[in-house]
Structures are given as structure tokens and as C-alpha cells.
Amino acid sequence: MTMTIKKSGNFGPDLAFSINAKVKAARAKFGKENVINAVLGTLADDEGNIIALDSVYNRLETMDRGLIASYAPIEGEKAFRETVLKILFADNKPDAYIEVVSTPGGTGAIRNGIFSYADIGDPVICHDYFWQPYKKMCIEFDRDFRTYNYLTKDFKFDLEAYKACQDEALKDHDRLVSIINSPGNNPTGYSLSDEEWDEVLEISKKAANKGKKISLIIDVAYIEFAGDGEQKRFFKKFSNLPENLMVLVAFSMSKAYTAYGLRSGAVIGISSSKEVIEDFKNAMATSARVNWSNGVHAPQLILVDLAKDENKGEYDKELLSLKAMLKERADVFIREAEAHKVEMIPYFGGFFAFIPTTKAFDIVENLEKENIFTIPSAKGIRIALCATNKRDIVKLVERIAFYMNK
Ligand SMILES: Cc1ncc(COP(=O)(O)O)c(C=O)c1O
């Protein structure tokens, strides 16, 4: 017997976290050096230890306890909100009304965006390679999660499929939320090009011009690992949009600050209308108050401190070394995949590489027997480059190639 209402317990364990439990068990039994862990989206050094940046954690360790213990304002510290905008947009701030409300990570931002911008039964559309919590949130809130084909055969964003999905969803609905996870998409690593963003906005504007309310939720959890600045250019395109075309950006401190467990992020609203943006701020703050109350104070203060001119260099240096580590691993992966003739989705950045295959679950089961852990899905195998060293990547690709050709 269960006492919960049906939908709340329906999902079963999270696949990534349950495979991670297998990794831990295998490490305990066979020794860490005999287990390849390419599962979770957390950065690990070459010995497999989670990386926790000195610039972040030295500040936490020396922070006044009273500050750590205290409540942050519901919408987040003012300086934090200003800093988020500075970091996120760099030189690409759109010409629009913009507000920021703190959230516990990108998850909270996406949760609040879906809840406030789609009503019960309204369509929430997303590419068909997606981070599973999007769908689970929609089920929990009775929003209608629908997917469209993400990538064309030559690995471009499938704009036709996007438009068809939007138009179909709007046939009998007046509003729609579209979640796009770019740049450095999880699980594929794909990033929409500037031209693809132009097209997405054209498609959205066409619907908005017919009076539909369109809200784009842009999940940028991996943005700092998907380019050297040029990946932020697309933000500028959110200038002067129709007032019934709203953009929400989900900002996360988890990946770029190795602050996964500190639970900090923000939802940024962008609109050409002052009224729409005031409404956004009120709705996000109210949702925060009734769900988690306020964001965690310490990471907000750390972000502000790290962005100061005198400290920026310290953080930037650490971020650069993380990016270099990821790039080296990705280069090895690409080289080995080519050598073994294993097709992969082109790597643009982010924490993951992705091998499309319809046999993912079988292959992953075989890999697990050799203590190699990855994440399978109906579309293929996700490999967490963030967690795996170069030597293990060589072996991992060789074993995947072996089972794919079997
Ligand atoms: C695509 C994507 N979006 C959002 C998140 C949310 O991260 P957090 O809530 O830790 O900021 C993650 C974390 O794994 C992710 O992979």
C-alpha cells in the first residue's frame, strides 16, 4: 500500500543517481582505480575526486557564521542580483526590462518558470534530448510536456520540427512554454548557433503576433563551459521583443562555481514591457516564498565577492583551468571515437559527450559488467567527460566500440 497520491511517487529513482550508487558500490568492492565513472554532471579531477574551487570554498570557510546563518531577502541580495546580470550577459545585455530573483539552483528557476508561465494542461515543448526533471516537473504540475525532434541528420537544430511542434501545441491553446537547454546542452553538448536563435525567435514572434502568449525558458546551466564569450552573444537578440513574448533564463552556480550542493541560482526575466516584468518579479518571489522561502545566503555573498575587480582574476584562473581540463578530455574522446569509427554528436562544449545508438541499454549493461558506468537513454549513451580522466576515456570508447559492433 502507498499513502501518497499516485503522481507524487510515480517516477521511481532518478536514473543518474541510481547508477551513481552502483559506481559507489563497485568502487568499494573493486577499488576506485578499477572503476570508470562517467555518470554524474560534477567535475572530478583525474583521480576521480570532486573538484571544489578554492576561490569559492576558502570564502565559505572564512565567512562570518552569522552571515551564513542569516536569511537572504526572498528575491535575493541586491548585489547578488546585479552580479548575476553582469556575469551572465557580459557585454550582451538585451535592451529590455530585466529582473532577477534568486532560486535554489537552475532547478528552482525552471520549476518556477514552468509553474507560472504554463497553466494546468498547457503545452510545454522541448527538444527530445532533454534533462529529465523538465518532464517530471510538468507531470507534477499537470502541464502537458511535449517533445520535438532535436537534431537533423547533419546535426543541426531541427527548426522545422520546432515550428511544427509549436504550431500544433497552439492549435487549441493560447499560451505555450518552450524550454531550450543551450549552450552545452545536457546530454548532447549541442549549442544553438546565432542563426538558429534568430529562427527560433522568428517562429516565436509569428505565434506572438497572432496573440498567443509565448514564454521561452532558456536553461544555461553549462554556459561557462561552452565557449570563450561568443556563446553569450545570443542574449542580445532578446531586445525589443513583442510584449507577449517573454524570456526567462535559468542561471545556476552549480557547474561554473562547483557549488552543486550550495543550491544557488536565479531566474532572470526579460521583457519589453514594464508591467510584464513587474508581474514576473512578483510571481517568482511569491513562488519562492511558498516553496523554499529564500535562497541560500552564503553562495550569493560569495558570487558577489568573486566578481569584484580585485578577486575576479583568482576565480577566472580556476575556471580557465577547469575549461582546459574538459577540453583535453573532449579532444581525447573525439580522437578515439574517430579512430574506432564511433559516431558521436558533434561536441560544442559542456560536461557531456553523446553517442547516438538504439542499443544504449544493452551496451551500458555490458559496460557495467566491466565496471564502466555511463548513462543510457532511448537515444544513446551519455558520457560525463567532467568526471572521467583521459586514460579512462580511451578505454571507455574502445569498449563502447566493441559492444556497438558486436
Ligand atoms: C540541463 C540542466 N539544467 C539544470 C540543471 C540544474 O542544476 P542546479 O539546480 O544544480 O543548478 C542541471 C543539473 O544537472 C542540468 O544538467
Side-chain angles (χ1 to χ4, degrees), residues 41 43 53 55-56 87 220-225 232 251-260 303 306 315-316 318-320 322-323 351:
L43 286 154
L53 295 185
S55 57
V56 173
I87 293 171
V220 298
Y222 298 92
I223 192 162
E224 297 300 343
F225 299 96
K232 298 186 172 183
F251 169 83
S252 168
M253 281 186 69
S254 294
K255 320 287 171 182
Y257 293 84
T258 63
Y260 324 91
L303 191 86
L306 286 180
Y315 166 73
D316 285 351
E318 286 196 303
L319 179 65
L320 270 181
L322 294 181
K323 286 170 72 166
F351 281 18

Side-chain angles (χ1 to χ4, degrees), residues 5 67 70 94 149 185 204 226 263 270 276 284 309 358 368 396:
I5 56 165
L67 277 178
S70 60
N149 184 53
N185 166 272
S204 305
R263 309 306 308 139
I270 305 169
V276 165
M284 295 298 107
D309 286 346
T358 50
E368 287 185 4
L396 187 149

